[in-house]
Amino acid sequence: MALTQQFARVTPEYLERCHASALDSPGAVPNWDPPAEDLLDAGWAVWGLIRHCRVSGAAPATVALLERAVSGDPDGDVDFLDHDEVYDGFADPPRVLGATAVADIAHGLDAIDVGALLADLPASPAEAEAAAVHGFGPGFVGDVRAHLVEHLAAMRQFYREAAHRGW
């Protein structure tokens, strides 16, 4: 079973419309449907990156930054998104990040030295599995390091654009 981490860039007004829809509809349907260009499916690579950071001794601030970028902040009134239309119930319900948090995360992601962060990561899946990087076993085909770099670059660009828009 493949797990993915999905991100959405939306305005506070969009969230308010979804909240109002959930309050007004019989099934509490939030009518969540952000434009495709404002969605990012990070696959499961982001969790492999966080796992690598934990086991490789990366700075705790880097691990915390990545976890916050992936998980959001616990505050924020988005319980209305805890709905089958939005969330599959597998892990924690959706969370939100305010514009200031998004800008801070974008800045932090841009400051990560990817080469240094992944320097000790073996490129092959077999070596990566031996190095305790979760999720990169024999079923993975390709260069693990390049895969993580690609996903981190996508996450950086996603956050940069959200910060630029003030979302």
Side-chain angles (χ1 to χ4, degrees):
M1 170 172 73
L3 301 177
T4 64
Q5 182 68 42
Q6 297 180 340
F7 300 86
R9 285 186 295 240
V10 297
T11 64
E13 294 80 16
Y14 183 84
L15 279 176
E16 186 52 44
R17 283 193 306 272
C18 290
H19 190 207
S21 175
L23 291 173
D24 291 342
S25 71
V29 178
N31 288 319
W32 177 259
D33 191 21
E37 63 270 12
D38 289 320
L39 299 174
L40 174 66
D41 186 343
W44 43 269
V46 69
W47 295 106
L49 178 61
I50 290 171
R51 172 89 170 126
H52 169 70
C53 289
R54 286 184 185 140
V55 299
S56 69
T62 300
V63 175
L65 171 74
L66 291 169
E67 287 177 339
R68 186 177 187 204
V70 170
S71 299
D73 286 336
D75 53 344
D77 183 19
V78 291
D79 290 344
F80 60 93
L81 293 178
D82 189 358
H83 188 277
D84 290 344
E85 179 184 291
V86 179
Y87 160 68
D88 65 7
F90 185 76
D92 294 333
R95 290 187 176 177
V96 68
L97 289 164
T100 301
V102 168
D104 290 346
I105 290 169
H107 179 74
L109 290 173
D110 281 340
I112 292 175
D113 179 347
V114 180
L117 187 67
L118 300 178
D120 295 336
L121 180 65
S124 78
E127 292 174 274
E129 185 173 357
V133 178
H134 178 71
F136 294 100
F140 180 83
V141 177
D143 181 326
V144 173
R145 191 178 303 116
H147 185 70
L148 293 179
V149 167
E150 176 186 335
H151 278 75
L152 181 57
M155 205 163 88
R156 279 176 161 167
Q157 182 57 38
F158 189 82
Y159 269 93
R160 267 188 221 124
E161 182 62 27
H164 174 74
R165 295 180 190 178
W167 293 4

